[in-house]
Structures are given as C-alpha cells and as structure tokens.
C-alpha cells in the first residue's frame, strides 16, 4: 500500500504539465547527431503529460553524457547513414538510445555497421525511479534519483581517481628550457636538471597482492630493479652462443635504413604518392592523409646472417655503415629459440593476475628507436643486455598524441643492390602509432602534444619494466658496449 502511494506521488510529479516549447524537439537527424557524443533519452512529443520529468532527468544527468528531450520522429524513414528507421521502436512514451560507439577497427565497413542507433522503448511504469534505472542500464550511468552516484558509480569514480597520473613537467616546458636535449637518442637527467618525471623504482620483488594494488589497478608503470639479475640468459645467451646453437635457424627479422622503426613520414616520399587510390570513404576518415606509418622491410634469413648484420661482420659487413639496421623484434621465443625458455623466468607475482600470451625476444645492434605507439597488452619488459630508455605517455593522452588511423606502408629491401624502396603503401591503416615525432615535435601541427607529460623509464641489464596496457611509449635502445648488442625479453 505504502509503495503504491509513494509511486503515485512520483507519478503526480511526472504528470505536471510544462509548456512543450521550452524543450527541444529531436527529429531523426538531430538524434543521430547527438548520438555521436551522448546517449539520448526522450519522451514522445505526442504525449504532453510527461513533460515535467524532462527537467528532473536533466538535473539528475547533468554531469553525464545523457541528452534528455522530446522526440518526434514521424515522417522519417531513414537515418542519415541510410539505415532504416524502425518506427515501432519509437511507439512508446519514453525511448532511450545508447551513444553510437564507432567500431574503428575497419574504415571500410558499410556505414550502418559502425553507426547503427538502437532505440529501446521503455515499457515500464512511468515513475522517476524506474526511468532512472532504465537509463542507467542503457547509458552506462550510475545515478540515483537524487542525482548522486550509486555504489557502483562511486566505486568506478574512486578507481578513476586513484589511477596513476604523471605529474611532472609538460613536454612544452621541457622543450622551452632544454631545446637541444630532448632530441638526443639517450636523454640524460642531468641535461635537464632532473626535471623529467621518473618511473618509480622498486628494489625488491613485490608480492602478487602488492603488485595488484600498487601497480596493476592503478595502471602505474614501475621498474623492478635487478629482478632478472639471476636469469641464466644474462651470462649464457651471448651472441656467440646463439650463433653456435642456432646458426641455420631461419628467423623473421625487420630491416630499416637507419635504425628507425615504425616512424611516421610524408606520403610524398612514396613511389605511389600520385597513383595510390584511397577510397573516398576511407580518406574522409583519415586525419592525416598526408602521412604514412613506415613499417620496416620484413625478411627471413638464417640466424647467422642476421648476427652478421648486427655485428657488422662476414660478407655482410657492407650492409652497415649504419645504413641498414636489423631487428629481431617481438619474435616468439618458443618458435625461434625454445631452449632459451630454460634460461629465463617469468616473475611469480604476475602469474596470479595476468595471463601470459606471448614471450618474445628483441635483439639488435642496440642502435634502434621504436617510435611512439601503444600496445593493447600489459607488458613486462626484461633487459638482458644493453639499455632501453623508454619514454612513456599516459593512455589518457590519446587525443593529445593524435591517435587516429594512419595509412601504412612497408619498406621493401632489395638484397642484390642492398637498397630500400618505398614502393607502395598498404591498403591498411595503423591505429597504434602516434604521428607526433617526440624528438622533433611540430607544435604547430600537433599543438595538443605540448600538454603531455613524459615519463622516463630506463632499464639496463637485469631490470624489468612493467608497462600497463595502452601506455604510449617510445623505446630508444643502446648497446652494451662490450657485447655490442641489445637483447630484451618481454612477456605480453
Ligand atoms: C511531429 O512531426 C510531424 C512531421 O514533421 C508534424 O506533422 C507533427 O505536427 C509533429 N508533432 C508534434 C506534436 O510536434
Ligand atoms: C562526454 O563525452 C565527451 C566527448 O566524447 C568526453 O570527452 C567526456 O569525457 C564525456 N563525459 C562523461 C562524463 O562521460
Ligand atoms: C632516465 O633514467 C635513466 C635511468 O635512471 C637516467 O640515467 C637518465 O638520465 C634519465 N633521463 C632523464 C631525461 O631523466
Ligand atoms: C665493402 O665496401 C668497400 C667500399 O665500398 C669495398 O672496397 C669492400 O670490398 C667491401 N667489402 C665487402 C666484404 O663487401
Ligand atoms: C650511408 O649513409 C651515409 C649518411 O647518410 C651516406 O653518406 C653514405 O653514402 C651511405 N652509404 C651507402 C653505402 O649507401
Ligand atoms: C655488458 O656485458 C658484460 C658481459 O658481457 C657485463 O659484464 C657488463 O656488466 C655489461 N655492462 C653493462 C653496463 O650492463
């Protein structure tokens, strides 16, 4: 009885009549527009009695991306993307439509696949409580009727509040003060008066719980100093040993002219600049049609040939003069050097919370740069030989790093004349490379990059870097001087 009384009170509120002209009426094109950045919830314009609650709902959802209004979709057969409007879905006093989540993995999908509004009619009692519940479930919001967050929402908020953020100097501040330091291959702290933010360093292995609480849930990068110091690989897997053991093993490697791996350059440099026809549908979605992500030239060769290149020895001596750089990057250890697995050790503390999907080796002469990109994996990067200066940027910086689809092209390498060619670009795009050149940023073209805050995480022999998924990183490798190489192992 009491429940119904309460309910009736709220219903009374809902039925308060308010002049419809004070509210915006959304037709199909307007709704479609809204859905690109907001959820839409609306009352049927034909049912005047419900107008009162628009104000209530607007207040409740003022801090969320929820647009509250009236809808009148009569007379529309198609959404602006050509898809049919299902009028049945609008035969209701109240309708919610979730924000359109663009599936950006493929730019050539038919437009209705990645932008199809899905109106859901509300069938329940017209009470504010129930409407709020309905909206929460469709719009991924966590409001209560009084506008405060519910328990789930509070938990989400506290997780977001706790997430690690780099607080040091912005890249703009650093460039202004130290214009000539940041473009070096290895940027030294003393050249910038220790003003770049530094990775946390942990001197003892954490417990699984510690790792979970302090780093995994906070998405915080950290260096575990010397964690891999007692790996047998450090002493035993020298190049000579690899050469002896795996001489004729065929390995898949990557070649570039100057040690620059997967940078972004002008499309004009490519031989197909004039001829490549990019479908209009794709071109329209490219923010930087003038740029190309340069993939290195792939090559299969025997391990001994690869080692010849990175050691500048044998008949391949003249490959070098730093005009060709070979990298065995993200190369599966179980596929190419299975025996090495006995010489390394996956740290105990990650096993409880992270599933290992890949174990890779990274071997080069130590003069390489892996340009700014992100990976969708949590990464444990373990240094065996040499040093890697990894400069990281937060995942929250996606927009400031101009994340978008960029056309990619793979270099080809002609072994006879030992020359690279930029023959033709691929008909695929990359979404994980930033077009910004960290070493020589163009602040005119990429003004938002100025706001980002770099984090220096530099690891040497025996150190392990935990890099949470989606953190952007540029990896500058340096050789161990005596071993003349850089070798790392990573767990994804
Ligand atoms: C809804 O739109 C139709 C078609 O444009 C129009 O004829 C009708 O008057 C509108 N209804 C209301 C209540 O505004
Ligand atoms: C609302 O959407 C904008 C643009 O998509 C986004 O930047 C913002 O974080 C969103 N706000 C909330 C509260 O979700
Ligand atoms: C980055 O960290 C390494 C290792 O601690 C240090 O040698 C180097 O000077 C640091 N560079 C900057 C720019 O802070
Ligand atoms: C390397 O190049 C130099 C000059 O270009 C040439 O004289 C020499 O014979 C070459 N060596 C090999 C091993 O190809
Ligand atoms: C290698 O690069 C250097 C500098 O860019 C250039 O002077 C030299 O001619 C190149 N050598 C070969 C063999 O292409
Ligand atoms: C370089 O490698 C040698 C072993 O070959 C090792 O003794 C030395 O400590 C390494 N140097 C650095 C700076 O890691």
């Amino acid at each position: 009885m009491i429940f119904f009384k309460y309910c009736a009170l709220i219903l009374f509120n809902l039925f308060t009549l308010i002049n419809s002209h004070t509210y915006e009426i959304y037709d199909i094109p307007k709704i479609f527009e809204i859905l690109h950045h907001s959820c839409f919830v609306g009352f049927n314009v034909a049912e005047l009695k419900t107008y009162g609650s628009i104000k209530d709902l607007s207040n409740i959802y003022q801090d969320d991306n929820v647009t509250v209004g009236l809808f009148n979709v009569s007379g529309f057969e198609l959404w602006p993307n050509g898809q049919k409007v299902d009028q049945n879905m609008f035969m209701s006093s109240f309708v919610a439509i979730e924000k359109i989540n663009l599936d950006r993995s493929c730019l050539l999908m038919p437009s209705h696949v990645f932008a199809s509004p899905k109106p859901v009619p509300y069938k329940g009692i017209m009470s504010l409580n129930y409407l709020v519940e309905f909206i929460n479930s469709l719009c991924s919001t966590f409001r209560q009727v009084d506008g405060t967050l519910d328990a789930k929402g509070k938990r989400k908020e506290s997780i977001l509040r706790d997430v690690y953020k780099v607080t040091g100097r912005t890249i703009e501040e650093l460039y202004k003060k130290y214009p000539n330091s940041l473009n070096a291959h290895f940027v030294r702290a003393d050249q910038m008066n220790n003003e770049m933010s530094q990775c946390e360093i942990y001197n003892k292995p954490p417990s699984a719980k510690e790792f979970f609480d302090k780093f995994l849930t906070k998405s915080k990068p950290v260096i575990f100093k010397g964690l891999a110091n007692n790996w047998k690989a450090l002493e035993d897997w020298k190049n000579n040993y690899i050469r002896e053991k795996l001489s004729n093993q065929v390995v898949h490697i990557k070649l570039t002219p100057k040690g620059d791996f997967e940078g972004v350059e002008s499309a004009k440099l490519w031989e197909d600049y004039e001829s490549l026809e990019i479908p209009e549908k794709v071109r329209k979605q490219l923010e930087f049609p003038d740029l190309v992500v340069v993939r290195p030239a792939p090559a299969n060769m025997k391990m001994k040939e690869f080692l010849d290149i990175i050691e500048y020895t044998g008949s391949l001596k003249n490959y070098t003069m730093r005009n060709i750089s070979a990298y065995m990057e993200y190369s599966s250890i179980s596929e190419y050097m299975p025996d090495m697995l006995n010489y390394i050790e996956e740290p105990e503390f990650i096993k409880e919370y992270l599933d290992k999907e890949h174990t890779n080796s990274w071997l080069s002469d130590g003069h390489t740069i892996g340009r700014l990109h992100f990976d969708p994996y949590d990464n444990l990067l373990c240094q065996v030989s040499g040093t890697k200066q990894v400069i990281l940027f937060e995942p929250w910086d996606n927009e400031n790093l101009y994340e978008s689809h960029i056309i990619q092209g793979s270099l080809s390498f002609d072994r006879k004349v030992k020359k690279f060619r930029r023959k033709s670009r691929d008909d695929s795009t990359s979404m994980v490379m930033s077009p910004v050149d960290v070493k020589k940023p163009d602040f005119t073209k990429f003004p938002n990059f100025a706001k980002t805050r770099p984090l220096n995480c530099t690891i040497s022999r025996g150190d392990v870097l935990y890099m949470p998924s989606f953190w952007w990183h540029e990896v500058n490798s340096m050789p161990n001087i005596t071993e003349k190489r850089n070798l790392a192992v990573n767990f994804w």
Side-chain angles (χ1 to χ4, degrees):
M1 229 23 221
I2 290 174
F3 173 75
F4 281 113
K5 205 167 165 191
Y6 175 61
C7 205
L9 271 175
I10 290 190
L11 284 174
F12 182 74
N13 268 338
L14 276 179
F15 286 125
T16 317
L17 283 174
I18 290 187
N19 185 345
S20 68
H21 298 301
T22 57
Y23 293 110
E24 193 161 354
I25 300 177
Y26 293 84
D27 60 13
I28 285 290
K30 260 194 201 163
I31 293 176
F32 192 74
E33 181 65 37
I34 288 287
L35 289 178
H36 284 85
H37 54 87
S38 162
C39 196
F40 175 79
V41 297
F43 293 93
N44 197 329
V45 74
E47 299 189 27
L48 287 162
K49 58 194 177 181
T50 56
Y51 293 166
S53 51
I54 297 184
K55 198 163 153 220
D56 298 332
L57 289 178
S58 298
N59 286 338
I60 294 171
Y61 289 102
Q62 59 187 343
D63 292 334
D64 298 302
N65 281 335
V66 175
T67 303
V68 187
L70 293 165
F71 67 84
N72 178 5
V73 299
S74 66
F76 286 93
E77 280 174 23
L78 298 177
W79 291 99
N81 67 352
Q83 206 200 1
K84 248 183 106 151
V85 174
D86 186 349
Q87 286 287 347
N88 285 332
M89 291 297 164
F90 288 99
M91 304 278 236
S92 174
S93 312
F94 188 76
V95 167
I97 316 179
E98 127 187 59
K99 175 173 169 274
I100 294 173
N101 290 312
L102 292 181
D103 176 351
R104 306 212 321 143
S105 60
C106 183
L107 297 182
L108 253 186
M109 281 208 274
S111 55
H112 66 269
V113 173
F114 58 82
S116 55
K118 297 186 194 72
V120 178
Y122 175 70
K123 300 253 167 67
I125 302 170
M126 273 302 196
S127 100
L128 210 48
N129 294 43
Y130 291 119
L131 285 182
V132 164
E133 230 171 77
F134 176 66
I135 294 171
N136 285 345
S137 69
L138 264 144
C139 300
S140 312
T141 49
F142 303 93
R143 294 292 160 188
Q144 307 183 95
V145 176
D146 64 1
T148 58
L149 286 171
D150 64 15
K152 238 190 192 158
K154 281 189 186 133
R155 201 156 63 237
K156 188 175 166 197
E157 200 183 52
S158 92
I159 288 173
L160 286 179
R161 205 177 31 235
D162 266 11
V163 140
Y164 173 67
K165 301 235 164 71
V166 182
T167 54
R169 297 243 179 239
T170 64
I171 202 96
E172 184 179 39
E173 289 164 338
L174 293 171
Y175 265 99
K176 277 211 177 116
K177 280 178 95 169
Y178 311 104
N180 297 320
S181 297
L182 275 163
N183 56 17
H185 185 64
F186 182 82
V187 197
R188 291 204 336 247
D190 58 351
Q191 289 169 345
M192 340 196 31
N193 291 318
N194 291 303
E195 289 190 33
M196 196 192 290
S197 297
Q198 304 294 320
C199 223
E200 176 163 348
I201 293 182
Y202 225 64
N203 283 308
K204 60 173 181 36
S207 68
K209 181 163 187 325
E210 226 175 336
F211 175 64
F212 180 80
D213 291 343
K214 289 193 171 152
F215 305 110
L216 198 62
T217 56
K218 295 203 158 93
S219 180
K220 181 177 187 184
V222 56
I223 291 171
F224 299 110
K225 195 89 196 138
L227 185 75
N229 268 344
N230 51 14
W231 280 12
K232 285 188 283 173
L234 267 57
E235 285 306 322
D236 294 351
W237 280 70
K238 301 277 165 62
N239 281 6
N240 279 345
Y241 179 77
I242 299 174
R243 193 186 277 279
E244 257 168 49
K245 214 176 158 70
L246 298 164
S247 183
N248 288 318
Q249 163 82 52
V250 173
V251 285
H252 184 69
I253 62 150
K254 301 286 169 54
L255 302 169
T256 73
K258 305 232 178 249
D260 210 322
F261 284 79
E262 334 224 87
V264 169
E265 65 180 22
S266 166
K268 287 194 184 133
L269 295 167
W270 284 66
E271 291 172 29
D272 66 352
Y273 179 63
E274 303 287 346
S275 62
L276 180 72
E277 283 181 22
I278 303 170
E280 192 48 31
K281 209 178 207 171
V282 170
R283 187 188 292 275
K284 264 191 352 215
Q285 298 179 72
L286 294 175
E287 256 173 87
F288 307 103
D290 56 323
L291 296 180
V292 185
V293 167
V294 185
R295 298 283 180 198
N300 290 320
M301 58 178 74
K302 290 185 175 164
M303 184 69 94
K304 62 182 175 202
E305 283 183 282
F306 165 64
L307 290 172
D308 281 351
I309 298 181
I310 66 171
E311 292 176 349
Y312 315 118
T313 51
S315 63
L316 293 165
K317 193 166 181 173
N318 282 7
Y319 264 84
T320 55
M321 315 309 292
R322 305 286 315 112
N323 290 2
I324 171 167
S325 173
Y327 203 169
M328 192 167 81
E329 52 171 4
Y330 51 88
S331 157
S332 164
I333 294 187
S334 52
E335 196 174 327
Y336 296 122
M337 311 196 274
D339 197 32
M340 189 185 186
L341 294 173
N342 300 320
Y343 293 74
I344 62 177
E345 235 175 279
E346 185 190 348
E348 279 301 318
F349 61 84
I350 60 168
K351 292 183 183 162
E352 194 166 326
Y353 298 106
L354 296 173
D355 288 328
K356 181 182 64 184
E357 286 188 30
H358 304 279
T359 305
N360 301 310
S361 66
W362 304 72
L363 178 59
S364 72
D365 63 5
H367 297 283
T368 59
I369 307 179
R371 292 289 181 171
L372 192 60
H373 70 284
F374 69 84
D375 304 300
Y377 298 108
D378 281 288
N379 190 349
L380 218 55
L381 181 61
C382 314
Q383 199 64 36
V384 175
S385 172
T387 298
K388 284 191 193 294
Q389 179 165 64
V390 189
I391 304 292
L392 287 93
F393 295 89
E394 295 169 358
W396 332 110
D397 270 331
N398 281 353
E399 279 182 35
N400 300 331
L401 297 174
Y402 298 85
E403 179 198 25
S404 68
H405 279 271
I406 306 174
I407 293 277
Q408 58 182 14
S410 300
L411 296 172
S412 51
F413 183 69
D414 185 332
R415 287 210 203 187
K416 277 209 196 89
V417 292
K418 300 185 175 50
K419 276 218 153 66
F420 286 94
R421 274 182 75 179
R422 298 172 164 100
K423 250 198 231 154
S424 54
R425 288 168 288 166
D426 309 337
D427 53 7
S428 61
T429 58
S430 163
M431 281 190 72
V432 299
M433 302 300 306
S434 167
V436 178
D437 183 345
V438 178
K439 301 213 184 299
K440 258 192 280 160
D442 180 343
F443 288 121
T444 318
K445 189 163 184 175
F446 307 110
N448 292 342
F449 181 58
K451 296 186 234 171
T452 62
R453 296 171 199 278
L455 179 70
N456 173 31
C457 299
T458 296
I459 51 173
S460 299
R461 185 184 161 93
D463 298 341
V464 173
L465 167 62
Y466 165 63
M467 202 168 6
S469 49
F470 298 107
W471 276 75
W472 296 81
H473 49 285
E474 177 170 279
V475 185
N476 299 280
S477 294
M478 262 111 359
N480 171 307
I481 306 293
T482 40
E483 294 185 359
K484 294 199 178 62
R485 63 162 186 172
N486 190 293
L487 174 61
V489 166
N490 91 298
F491 301 101
W492 266 333

